[in-house]
Amino acid sequence: MSSRLALLVSAVLLFGGCKVNSDIGKRCLLVKKAPEGSGRESDPVLVTDVSEGQDFISFGSLDCEDLVCVKDADMPLEMADNGQVVGYCSTACVQGELVDPCTITDPDAHPAVKDRMSCRALLLDQKALDDLRQNDPATYQATFGDNNSPYFCAGNPLEEGT
């Protein structure tokens, strides 16, 4: 009887059209690597850490399932009550995939990115990332960890006048 029940449950799940929400676009708090010897893994990113008009990517944000939190250059600066900068959850992606990995399904997605999310390079292009990894592996590892791609789900830059 248990094998029939397992088969039935599997069929229901397979054909039931279960929609799984990702957290892409959901609000998150940006973090940065804590200083060596501090005993902490990360520190909050504050307004003084962010430059106006530049993308900021944060690895290790516990608010996101893939631990990646982004504040893109065109996103308005928003702070949590403790002064920590707010971004939105992201994930690594591959440009040109048949299925858009950057589709926002979270109902609480940040309104600043709901209509402009795509897979794009953040901070560096692939050549610059590869050059840094080859020429300064220690800095690369400290900054990007095991990430090998500059492509993440992020808000497209706003066009002039919008």
Side-chain angles (χ1 to χ4, degrees):
M1 182 69 155
S2 64
S3 62
R4 285 185 182 170
L5 182 59
L7 182 60
L8 179 63
V9 169
S10 297
V12 168
L13 291 175
L14 182 63
F15 297 111
C18 295
K19 184 177 179 183
V20 177
N21 283 344
S22 77
D23 67 355
I24 294 174
K26 183 183 89 173
R27 280 184 167 84
C28 54
L29 298 176
L30 296 171
V31 295
K32 61 184 176 184
K33 190 172 184 176
E36 198 75 31
S38 69
R40 298 180 309 274
E41 286 189 29
S42 64
D43 282 341
V45 170
L46 305 174
V47 174
T48 54
D49 298 317
V50 179
S51 296
E52 189 70 30
Q54 289 187 331
D55 294 327
F56 192 102
I57 187 166
S58 170
F59 299 104
S61 176
L62 298 178
D63 299 327
C64 304
E65 60 192 55
D66 288 333
L67 306 178
V68 179
C69 185
V70 168
K71 183 210 169 294
D72 66 69
D74 292 322
M75 181 181 170
L77 188 61
E78 181 181 338
M79 293 175 293
D81 292 338
N82 66 354
Q84 193 168 358
V85 177
V86 173
Y88 53 86
C89 293
S90 181
T91 190
C93 57
V94 176
Q95 279 195 320
E97 286 186 333
L98 293 177
V99 177
D100 184 4
C102 300
T103 300
I104 294 178
T105 58
D106 191 295
D108 298 323
H110 199 293
V113 295
K114 278 189 175 183
D115 297 328
R116 58 186 191 90
M117 189 72 76
S118 70
C119 182
R120 69 176 182 90
L122 283 175
L123 305 178
L124 302 171
D125 61 22
Q126 189 68 58
K127 181 175 177 0
L129 197 66
D130 292 342
D131 288 347
L132 179 61
R133 183 176 40 250
Q134 184 176 9
N135 297 327
D136 193 351
T139 299
Y140 182 90
Q141 181 66 32
T143 306
F144 299 104
D146 294 329
N147 182 59
N148 292 318
S149 172
Y151 297 103
F152 290 88
C153 295
N156 278 326
L158 294 172
E159 293 179 19
E160 291 294 319
T162 58

